[in-house]
Amino acid sequence: MLHISATKQVMIWLTVVVGLFLALPNGFYTQVERYNDAVALGDEATGWPSFMPSGLVNLGLDLRGGAHLLAEVKVEDAQISLVEALWPEVRRALSAEMATIGPFRQSADAPVGTIRIQFQETKGIDRAYEIVRGLARPVQSLTGVGASDIEVTRGTNAITVQLSEAEKANINERTMQQSLEIIRRRIDEVGTREPTIQRQGADRILVQVPGVGSAQEVKDIIGTTAQLTFQPVVSVVGDADGIAGAGNEILPEVTEDGIEPSIFYVLERNPVVTGEELNDARPEFDQNGQPAVGFRFNPSGAKKFGVHTTENAGSLFAIVLDGEVISAPRINEPITGGSGIITGNFTIEESTNLAVLLRAGALPAELEFLEERTIGPELGQDSIDAGKIACIVAGIAVLVYMFLSYGLFGVFANAALIINVGLIFGLLSLIGATLTLPGIAGIVLTIGMAVDANVIVFERIREELKTAKGPARAIELGYQKALSSILDANVTTFITATILFVMGSGPVRGFAITLGLGIMTSVFTAIFVTRALIAIWFARRRPKTIEV
């Protein structure tokens, strides 16, 4: 007897209702045109009661338009920064044995990325060489422990320190991984939907952000290095051509665009605290009601900040952002609370963006944009319209074929096909997947493949009817004997979709997502929904014979 338990029927129809309920806001493309407006207003969907689902399917760059950027990471900047950070450690180690090695100083004319130490006496050069070499550490990499991180060479009265090739390669890899993560955090901070952020080659990053008005908006967020440092001020000068001295640098005061700076600061090159030691940054207003950025250090940064302000009361202290002094207040009293405020000629938008950048972290190296494009939504709308036509044509062709081939049972299969498409959109909305142009191709392919399982079942039922068994038993055996063939055929296709998703990127993953979801919904509707429809019909009509 053909029978599906009441519990199974409830579970089947509950799944269908929930899936279609999630798909409602998408309206099978009817609300796609309002997507940009809804997102611009900060809404998920418009025109729906509050109790209705509001999640729209995320549209990819090829459908929705947006910004396309290809940036090159200046990994050499990270190498130079690390070499400069070595100097305090080298100086402390040599100073501890000053009596043995004699006076020394850092050479100001050393090549970029190199530390050169000049000694007044040559008698202690051998000992100094041993001390500096003792600072070398093995390079930690994915392949294990390798060579030393620094190379030390000795001259007549000088020692040169630079990074080893193994350490440079390690730094390059770390810099790329850190840049990818920081760019992703910055874009996520501003609530952008489904960006594509991928590494390309050794030192390039591809960034695609759907829905933004111009590529410049994205560049303003991700192109700023946001390297924040707090550095002691040595002196204030009127131009950048002065002599900074070893261990110092000259940086300009920040000015409005187009205005040449008139004040320059001679700063100690090694900062007391950096932005990496920030716990939080938020937009605020200063005592005069002007936009500013409040910050709070972590315990380590707060301790360093407190010690320096205690020991240097009355001195100037520069707050440097990306090579420009945005503020240089005087330390009137020790600041031991670990928090402060950055003031400047900020607008509210600038202070908000700066807080976002500081929270996300500083880029370890500068980005140079090699390619930038703003893609308009017109091309995407054309693709959506073409995809809509393809889906309609494919759907109608399949519906007509199934009805002509299998009659009433074909109608049941057609109903399941419509439910199947609705479930695909519901799942896309539920998991937050991005619909791309190849994804539309996957949906069209799914429409064509969705009835395959029903065809297998119906043909099996026809064979069972020829053995003079009753219609109920023929239907029951048809589903039982077709199940293994259905699962085998779809599991292999699903494995292929999984491999495409894992190994592919961009458009390939978009196709794999809709193909994989389509396979799951097709099997569900063929095995459960169509069977439930047939069972309900059979229980009410009780036909003596059936035609398939």
Side-chain angles (χ1 to χ4, degrees), residues 61 65-69 212-217 372-378:
L61 189 70
H68 169 100
L69 298 168
V212 298
S214 69
Q216 188 60 44
E217 294 180 29
E372 55 181 278
R373 297 199 306 269
T374 300
I375 301 173
E378 293 79 11

Side-chain angles (χ1 to χ4, degrees), residues 34 114 257 467:
R34 297 197 293 168
T114 302
D257 292 340
T467 62

Side-chain angles (χ1 to χ4, degrees), residues 459-474:
E459 291 298 327
R460 177 63 69 175
I461 292 175
R462 281 178 175 177
E463 293 179 5
E464 296 298 328
L465 287 172
K466 293 176 181 178
T467 62
K469 297 176 181 176
R473 183 59 178 166

Side-chain angles (χ1 to χ4, degrees), residues 26 49 105 114 147-148 246 317 341 359 372 397 423 450 474 538:
N26 301 288
R105 63 180 179 85
T114 302
S148 299
F317 195 63
I341 190 170
R359 281 199 305 272
E372 55 181 278
L423 291 177
F538 194 90

